[in-house]
Amino acid sequence: MKIAVVQVQVRPGHRSSTLQAVLAAIDLAAEAEPAPELIVLPAFGDVPHLLGGSSLPGERIEGPTVAACSFHARAWGVWLAFGFAERGTEKPWSTSVLLDVDGDVRGTSRQVKFGAAGRARFAAGEAYATFATPLGRIALLPGEDVFDESAWKAVSEEGAALIVSTCCLPREARSPIADPEAARRRLCGLAAESKIACATADVATAEGTRPDCAGFTTIIDAAGKVVASVHGRQTELLSARIAIATPTGAG
């Protein structure tokens, strides 16, 4: 599979400019030769704004963020994964969305595990999800869920061949990315043990900004090897070809 993973530097609270940056990143990734089959984006939009301390309701799945991303997925004929703040009853969810080449929603997963900032701002999901696609069975483990060994075990038992994590990971006390190199080693170990490839796409913010997101964007193959990784807070596109199991008749 040819996969593109995008880290996006955002300014929390600037929803329109963030969305435009994300859409431009989709276009840039899709223009590559050969074109990617799957593009993975961070948890953007209101997610960084909420983690920075604001109070926002989030959007519905049928809202403008999903609609805009769907248009670009359909225009380029690519699968697309991204995260956004989904409107809930009391608090929003941090939700990962998987779109197919027609721009249709093929799966969603609400983040289950959070750090202290996230628990204060988001409602927790209840389960880990995998989805059969022509590319292979894809699991969505947004944010901190991707560091949870029990989550990897659950999606492995469901036959996941690729784990995708749409992230907004603030640096805070006891954060799983407080030591980025240790975090990468942990994911490499989980990938090697489970024989599942993994891609994380994170947002980045300028130093001194709340939330403090330094960016944790990486592609790891099913042998537990880092194929590509971002080191810094800039917007950056990673691209790689990774081998994953593709079940017959998926779709």
Side-chain angles (χ1 to χ4, degrees), residues 109 111-114 128 139-153 155 162-169 176-177 183-184 186-191 194 196-202 216 218 220:
S109 182
Q111 187 172 329
V112 176
K113 302 290 179 65
F114 291 93
Y128 305 112
L140 299 178
L141 294 181
E144 283 91 335
D145 290 354
V146 76
F147 298 99
D148 185 350
E149 184 176 0
S150 66
W152 280 72
K153 182 178 180 181
V155 300
L162 172 67
I163 288 175
V164 167
S165 186
T166 62
C167 300
C168 181
L169 296 169
I177 60 161
R184 288 187 184 91
R186 175 169 177 76
L187 289 187
C188 287
L190 290 168
S194 304
I196 302 174
C198 174
T200 67
D202 197 10
F216 185 83
T218 189
I220 297 169

Short mmCIF file of all heavy atoms in Angstrom, two decimals, residues 109 111-114 128 139-153 155 162-169 176-177 183-184 186-191 194 196-202 216 218 220:
data_model
loop_
_atom_site.label_atom_id
_atom_site.label_comp_id
_atom_site.label_asym_id
_atom_site.label_seq_id
_atom_site.Cartn_x
_atom_site.Cartn_y
_atom_site.Cartn_z
N SER A 109 -14.46 6.19 14.84
CA SER A 109 -14.04 5.65 16.12
C SER A 109 -13.80 6.80 17.08
O SER A 109 -13.06 7.74 16.76
CB SER A 109 -12.77 4.81 15.97
OG SER A 109 -12.39 4.24 17.20
N GLN A 111 -12.27 8.37 20.48
CA GLN A 111 -11.13 8.12 21.34
C GLN A 111 -11.57 7.69 22.73
O GLN A 111 -12.46 8.29 23.33
CB GLN A 111 -10.26 9.38 21.41
CG GLN A 111 -8.95 9.18 22.14
CD GLN A 111 -8.04 10.39 22.02
OE1 GLN A 111 -8.08 11.10 21.01
NE2 GLN A 111 -7.21 10.63 23.02
N VAL A 112 -10.92 6.66 23.25
CA VAL A 112 -11.28 6.08 24.54
C VAL A 112 -10.40 6.62 25.66
O VAL A 112 -10.88 7.00 26.73
CB VAL A 112 -11.17 4.53 24.48
CG1 VAL A 112 -11.45 3.92 25.84
CG2 VAL A 112 -12.12 3.97 23.42
N LYS A 113 -9.08 6.65 25.46
CA LYS A 113 -8.13 7.05 26.51
C LYS A 113 -7.65 8.48 26.28
O LYS A 113 -7.37 8.87 25.15
CB LYS A 113 -6.93 6.10 26.51
CG LYS A 113 -7.28 4.63 26.72
CD LYS A 113 -7.75 4.37 28.14
CE LYS A 113 -8.13 2.91 28.37
NZ LYS A 113 -6.97 2.00 28.26
N PHE A 114 -7.53 9.25 27.38
CA PHE A 114 -7.07 10.63 27.31
C PHE A 114 -6.10 10.93 28.45
O PHE A 114 -6.17 10.31 29.51
CB PHE A 114 -8.25 11.61 27.43
CG PHE A 114 -9.19 11.63 26.27
CD1 PHE A 114 -10.32 10.83 26.26
CD2 PHE A 114 -8.95 12.45 25.17
CE1 PHE A 114 -11.20 10.85 25.20
CE2 PHE A 114 -9.82 12.47 24.10
CZ PHE A 114 -10.95 11.67 24.11
N TYR A 128 -12.98 -0.11 20.51
CA TYR A 128 -11.99 0.07 19.45
C TYR A 128 -12.56 -0.56 18.17
O TYR A 128 -13.19 -1.62 18.22
CB TYR A 128 -10.68 -0.59 19.84
CG TYR A 128 -10.15 -0.11 21.17
CD1 TYR A 128 -10.11 -0.95 22.28
CD2 TYR A 128 -9.72 1.21 21.32
CE1 TYR A 128 -9.63 -0.50 23.50
CE2 TYR A 128 -9.24 1.67 22.55
CZ TYR A 128 -9.21 0.81 23.63
OH TYR A 128 -8.74 1.26 24.84
N ALA A 139 -7.72 -0.44 11.36
CA ALA A 139 -8.20 -0.09 12.70
C ALA A 139 -7.95 1.39 12.94
O ALA A 139 -6.90 1.92 12.59
CB ALA A 139 -7.47 -0.91 13.76
N LEU A 140 -8.93 2.06 13.54
CA LEU A 140 -8.79 3.46 13.92
C LEU A 140 -8.58 3.52 15.43
O LEU A 140 -9.46 3.17 16.21
CB LEU A 140 -10.05 4.25 13.55
CG LEU A 140 -10.41 4.31 12.06
CD1 LEU A 140 -11.72 5.09 11.87
CD2 LEU A 140 -9.30 4.95 11.24
N LEU A 141 -7.39 3.95 15.84
CA LEU A 141 -7.07 4.13 17.27
C LEU A 141 -6.61 5.57 17.47
O LEU A 141 -5.41 5.87 17.46
CB LEU A 141 -5.97 3.16 17.71
CG LEU A 141 -6.30 1.67 17.70
CD1 LEU A 141 -5.09 0.87 18.21
CD2 LEU A 141 -7.53 1.37 18.55
N PRO A 142 -7.54 6.50 17.64
CA PRO A 142 -7.17 7.91 17.70
C PRO A 142 -6.41 8.28 18.98
O PRO A 142 -6.61 7.70 20.04
CB PRO A 142 -8.53 8.64 17.64
CG PRO A 142 -9.53 7.63 18.09
CD PRO A 142 -9.00 6.29 17.68
N GLY A 143 -5.52 9.28 18.85
CA GLY A 143 -4.85 9.86 20.01
C GLY A 143 -4.13 8.85 20.87
O GLY A 143 -3.42 7.96 20.40
N GLU A 144 -4.32 8.99 22.20
CA GLU A 144 -3.63 8.13 23.16
C GLU A 144 -4.00 6.66 23.04
O GLU A 144 -3.28 5.79 23.55
CB GLU A 144 -3.91 8.61 24.60
CG GLU A 144 -3.11 9.84 25.01
CD GLU A 144 -3.83 11.14 24.73
OE1 GLU A 144 -4.69 11.17 23.82
OE2 GLU A 144 -3.53 12.14 25.41
N ASP A 145 -5.11 6.34 22.37
CA ASP A 145 -5.50 4.94 22.22
C ASP A 145 -4.41 4.12 21.54
O ASP A 145 -4.29 2.91 21.78
CB ASP A 145 -6.79 4.83 21.39
CG ASP A 145 -8.01 5.35 22.13
OD1 ASP A 145 -7.89 5.70 23.31
OD2 ASP A 145 -9.10 5.40 21.51
N VAL A 146 -3.63 4.76 20.66
CA VAL A 146 -2.63 4.00 19.90
C VAL A 146 -1.50 3.48 20.79
O VAL A 146 -0.77 2.55 20.41
CB VAL A 146 -2.07 4.87 18.74
CG1 VAL A 146 -1.07 5.91 19.25
CG2 VAL A 146 -1.44 4.00 17.66
N PHE A 147 -1.36 4.01 22.00
CA PHE A 147 -0.32 3.53 22.91
C PHE A 147 -0.83 2.47 23.88
O PHE A 147 -0.07 1.98 24.72
CB PHE A 147 0.25 4.71 23.71
CG PHE A 147 0.91 5.75 22.85
CD1 PHE A 147 0.23 6.91 22.50
CD2 PHE A 147 2.20 5.57 22.38
CE1 PHE A 147 0.83 7.87 21.70
CE2 PHE A 147 2.81 6.53 21.58
CZ PHE A 147 2.12 7.68 21.24
N ASP A 148 -2.09 2.10 23.77
CA ASP A 148 -2.73 1.16 24.70
C ASP A 148 -2.56 -0.27 24.18
O ASP A 148 -3.10 -0.63 23.13
CB ASP A 148 -4.21 1.51 24.83
CG ASP A 148 -4.94 0.67 25.87
OD1 ASP A 148 -4.34 -0.32 26.36
OD2 ASP A 148 -6.09 0.99 26.19
N GLU A 149 -1.82 -1.07 24.94
CA GLU A 149 -1.57 -2.46 24.52
C GLU A 149 -2.87 -3.25 24.37
O GLU A 149 -3.00 -4.07 23.46
CB GLU A 149 -0.66 -3.14 25.53
CG GLU A 149 -0.25 -4.55 25.14
CD GLU A 149 0.73 -5.16 26.11
OE1 GLU A 149 1.11 -4.48 27.09
OE2 GLU A 149 1.13 -6.32 25.90
N SER A 150 -3.85 -2.99 25.23
CA SER A 150 -5.12 -3.71 25.14
C SER A 150 -5.87 -3.35 23.87
O SER A 150 -6.59 -4.19 23.30
CB SER A 150 -5.99 -3.43 26.37
OG SER A 150 -6.40 -2.08 26.42
N ALA A 151 -5.71 -2.11 23.39
CA ALA A 151 -6.34 -1.72 22.13
C ALA A 151 -5.72 -2.46 20.96
O ALA A 151 -6.43 -2.95 20.06
CB ALA A 151 -6.22 -0.21 21.94
N TRP A 152 -4.39 -2.57 20.95
CA TRP A 152 -3.73 -3.33 19.89
C TRP A 152 -4.18 -4.79 19.90
O TRP A 152 -4.44 -5.38 18.84
CB TRP A 152 -2.21 -3.26 20.07
CG TRP A 152 -1.59 -2.01 19.57
CD1 TRP A 152 -1.68 -0.76 20.12
CD2 TRP A 152 -0.75 -1.86 18.42
NE1 TRP A 152 -0.97 0.14 19.39
CE2 TRP A 152 -0.38 -0.51 18.35
CE3 TRP A 152 -0.28 -2.75 17.45
CZ2 TRP A 152 0.45 -0.01 17.33
CZ3 TRP A 152 0.55 -2.27 16.44
CH2 TRP A 152 0.90 -0.92 16.38
N LYS A 153 -4.31 -5.35 21.09
CA LYS A 153 -4.74 -6.74 21.18
C LYS A 153 -6.15 -6.90 20.64
O LYS A 153 -6.44 -7.85 19.89
CB LYS A 153 -4.69 -7.21 22.63
CG LYS A 153 -5.09 -8.67 22.81
CD LYS A 153 -4.97 -9.12 24.26
CE LYS A 153 -5.37 -10.57 24.42
NZ LYS A 153 -5.29 -11.02 25.84
N VAL A 155 -7.81 -5.04 18.38
CA VAL A 155 -7.93 -4.91 16.92
C VAL A 155 -7.16 -6.01 16.21
O VAL A 155 -7.53 -6.42 15.09
CB VAL A 155 -7.49 -3.52 16.44
CG1 VAL A 155 -8.36 -2.43 17.09
CG2 VAL A 155 -6.02 -3.25 16.70
N LEU A 162 -3.58 -2.81 9.49
CA LEU A 162 -3.01 -1.47 9.60
C LEU A 162 -3.73 -0.71 10.70
O LEU A 162 -4.97 -0.70 10.73
CB LEU A 162 -3.14 -0.71 8.28
CG LEU A 162 -2.74 0.78 8.30
CD1 LEU A 162 -1.23 0.93 8.54
CD2 LEU A 162 -3.13 1.46 6.99
N ILE A 163 -2.97 -0.08 11.59
CA ILE A 163 -3.54 0.80 12.61
C ILE A 163 -3.27 2.24 12.22
O ILE A 163 -2.13 2.61 11.92
CB ILE A 163 -2.95 0.49 14.00
CG1 ILE A 163 -3.50 -0.85 14.51
CG2 ILE A 163 -3.25 1.61 14.99
CD1 ILE A 163 -2.88 -1.31 15.82
N VAL A 164 -4.33 3.03 12.19
CA VAL A 164 -4.24 4.45 11.84
C VAL A 164 -4.63 5.26 13.08
O VAL A 164 -5.67 5.00 13.69
CB VAL A 164 -5.18 4.78 10.67
CG1 VAL A 164 -5.34 6.28 10.49
CG2 VAL A 164 -4.65 4.15 9.38
N SER A 165 -3.80 6.24 13.43
CA SER A 165 -4.08 7.09 14.58
C SER A 165 -4.08 8.55 14.16
O SER A 165 -3.05 9.08 13.73
CB SER A 165 -3.06 6.86 15.68
OG SER A 165 -3.41 7.58 16.85
N THR A 166 -5.24 9.20 14.25
CA THR A 166 -5.36 10.63 14.00
C THR A 166 -5.22 11.32 15.35
O THR A 166 -6.03 11.11 16.25
CB THR A 166 -6.71 10.95 13.35
OG1 THR A 166 -7.78 10.59 14.22
CG2 THR A 166 -6.88 10.18 12.04
N CYS A 167 -4.19 12.16 15.50
CA CYS A 167 -3.77 12.60 16.84
C CYS A 167 -3.80 14.11 17.03
O CYS A 167 -3.62 14.88 16.08
CB CYS A 167 -2.34 12.14 17.11
SG CYS A 167 -2.07 10.37 17.08
N CYS A 168 -3.98 14.49 18.27
CA CYS A 168 -3.61 15.81 18.79
C CYS A 168 -3.08 15.52 20.19
O CYS A 168 -3.86 15.36 21.13
CB CYS A 168 -4.81 16.75 18.83
SG CYS A 168 -4.41 18.39 19.45
N LEU A 169 -1.76 15.40 20.31
CA LEU A 169 -1.12 14.88 21.51
C LEU A 169 -0.37 16.00 22.24
O LEU A 169 0.77 16.33 21.88
CB LEU A 169 -0.15 13.76 21.16
CG LEU A 169 -0.78 12.49 20.55
CD1 LEU A 169 0.30 11.57 20.00
CD2 LEU A 169 -1.63 11.76 21.58
N PRO A 176 2.04 10.10 27.01
CA PRO A 176 2.77 9.00 26.38
C PRO A 176 3.88 9.47 25.47
O PRO A 176 4.76 8.69 25.11
CB PRO A 176 1.67 8.25 25.60
CG PRO A 176 0.58 9.24 25.41
CD PRO A 176 0.62 10.13 26.61
N ILE A 177 3.86 10.76 25.07
CA ILE A 177 4.93 11.27 24.21
C ILE A 177 5.84 12.25 24.96
O ILE A 177 6.53 13.05 24.33
CB ILE A 177 4.36 11.93 22.95
CG1 ILE A 177 3.44 13.11 23.30
CG2 ILE A 177 3.65 10.92 22.09
CD1 ILE A 177 3.22 14.05 22.14
N ALA A 183 8.39 6.75 23.06
CA ALA A 183 7.06 6.50 22.49
C ALA A 183 7.17 5.76 21.17
O ALA A 183 6.40 4.83 20.89
CB ALA A 183 6.31 7.82 22.31
N ARG A 184 8.14 6.16 20.34
CA ARG A 184 8.34 5.45 19.06
C ARG A 184 8.77 4.02 19.31
O ARG A 184 8.32 3.09 18.62
CB ARG A 184 9.37 6.19 18.20
CG ARG A 184 8.84 7.49 17.61
CD ARG A 184 9.83 8.10 16.61
NE ARG A 184 9.32 9.38 16.17
CZ ARG A 184 9.60 10.55 16.75
NH1 ARG A 184 10.39 10.57 17.81
NH2 ARG A 184 9.09 11.67 16.28
N ARG A 186 8.02 2.22 21.82
CA ARG A 186 6.85 1.47 22.30
C ARG A 186 5.98 1.04 21.12
O ARG A 186 5.55 -0.11 21.03
CB ARG A 186 6.04 2.31 23.27
CG ARG A 186 4.74 1.64 23.72
CD ARG A 186 4.08 2.33 24.87
NE ARG A 186 2.81 1.71 25.24
CZ ARG A 186 2.70 0.57 25.91
NH1 ARG A 186 3.78 -0.08 26.28
NH2 ARG A 186 1.50 0.07 26.20
N LEU A 187 5.72 1.97 20.19
CA LEU A 187 4.90 1.62 19.04
C LEU A 187 5.59 0.59 18.16
O LEU A 187 4.93 -0.31 17.63
CB LEU A 187 4.57 2.87 18.21
CG LEU A 187 3.59 3.86 18.83
CD1 LEU A 187 3.25 4.96 17.82
CD2 LEU A 187 2.30 3.17 19.29
N CYS A 188 6.90 0.70 18.02
CA CYS A 188 7.63 -0.31 17.24
C CYS A 188 7.50 -1.69 17.88
O CYS A 188 7.32 -2.70 17.18
CB CYS A 188 9.10 0.08 17.14
SG CYS A 188 9.43 1.47 16.03
N GLY A 189 7.57 -1.74 19.20
CA GLY A 189 7.42 -3.01 19.89
C GLY A 189 6.02 -3.59 19.73
O GLY A 189 5.87 -4.80 19.48
N LEU A 190 5.01 -2.73 19.83
CA LEU A 190 3.63 -3.19 19.65
C LEU A 190 3.40 -3.68 18.22
O LEU A 190 2.73 -4.70 17.99
CB LEU A 190 2.65 -2.07 19.99
CG LEU A 190 2.56 -1.69 21.47
CD1 LEU A 190 1.79 -0.39 21.65
CD2 LEU A 190 1.88 -2.82 22.27
N ALA A 191 3.95 -2.95 17.24
CA ALA A 191 3.80 -3.35 15.84
C ALA A 191 4.47 -4.69 15.57
O ALA A 191 3.91 -5.57 14.90
CB ALA A 191 4.37 -2.26 14.93
N SER A 194 2.53 -7.55 17.28
CA SER A 194 1.22 -7.81 16.67
C SER A 194 1.31 -8.09 15.18
O SER A 194 0.34 -8.53 14.57
CB SER A 194 0.29 -6.60 16.89
OG SER A 194 0.17 -6.29 18.26
N ILE A 196 1.47 -5.79 12.87
CA ILE A 196 0.54 -4.82 12.29
C ILE A 196 1.29 -3.52 12.03
O ILE A 196 1.96 -3.00 12.92
CB ILE A 196 -0.66 -4.54 13.23
CG1 ILE A 196 -1.41 -5.84 13.55
CG2 ILE A 196 -1.61 -3.53 12.60
CD1 ILE A 196 -2.51 -5.64 14.60
N ALA A 197 1.17 -2.98 10.82
CA ALA A 197 1.75 -1.68 10.51
C ALA A 197 0.95 -0.58 11.20
O ALA A 197 -0.22 -0.76 11.55
CB ALA A 197 1.77 -1.46 9.00
N CYS A 198 1.60 0.58 11.38
CA CYS A 198 0.96 1.66 12.13
C CYS A 198 1.36 3.01 11.55
O CYS A 198 2.52 3.22 11.16
CB CYS A 198 1.40 1.57 13.60
SG CYS A 198 0.84 2.93 14.64
N ALA A 199 0.40 3.93 11.48
CA ALA A 199 0.68 5.30 11.03
C ALA A 199 0.01 6.27 11.99
O ALA A 199 -1.19 6.13 12.27
CB ALA A 199 0.16 5.51 9.61
N THR A 200 0.77 7.23 12.50
CA THR A 200 0.21 8.28 13.35
C THR A 200 0.41 9.63 12.68
O THR A 200 1.50 9.93 12.19
CB THR A 200 0.89 8.32 14.74
OG1 THR A 200 2.26 8.73 14.60
CG2 THR A 200 0.84 6.96 15.42
N ALA A 201 -0.65 10.44 12.65
CA ALA A 201 -0.58 11.81 12.13
C ALA A 201 -0.96 12.76 13.26
O ALA A 201 -2.04 12.63 13.84
CB ALA A 201 -1.52 11.98 10.94
N ASP A 202 -0.08 13.69 13.58
CA ASP A 202 -0.28 14.56 14.73
C ASP A 202 -0.30 16.02 14.28
O ASP A 202 0.26 16.37 13.23
CB ASP A 202 0.86 14.35 15.73
CG ASP A 202 0.56 14.89 17.12
OD1 ASP A 202 -0.61 15.27 17.38
OD2 ASP A 202 1.48 14.92 17.94
N PHE A 216 3.90 14.32 16.70
CA PHE A 216 4.36 12.93 16.79
C PHE A 216 3.77 12.19 15.60
O PHE A 216 2.70 11.59 15.67
CB PHE A 216 3.91 12.30 18.11
CG PHE A 216 4.44 10.90 18.33
CD1 PHE A 216 5.72 10.71 18.85
CD2 PHE A 216 3.69 9.80 17.99
CE1 PHE A 216 6.22 9.42 19.04
CE2 PHE A 216 4.17 8.51 18.18
CZ PHE A 216 5.44 8.32 18.70
N THR A 218 4.48 9.53 12.40
CA THR A 218 5.41 8.46 12.05
C THR A 218 4.70 7.34 11.29
O THR A 218 3.48 7.18 11.38
CB THR A 218 6.08 7.90 13.33
OG1 THR A 218 7.14 7.03 12.98
CG2 THR A 218 5.09 7.16 14.20
N ILE A 220 5.27 3.16 10.76
CA ILE A 220 5.99 1.99 11.26
C ILE A 220 5.47 0.76 10.52
O ILE A 220 4.25 0.59 10.38
CB ILE A 220 5.78 1.83 12.77
CG1 ILE A 220 6.36 3.04 13.51
CG2 ILE A 220 6.40 0.54 13.29
CD1 ILE A 220 5.97 3.12 14.97
#
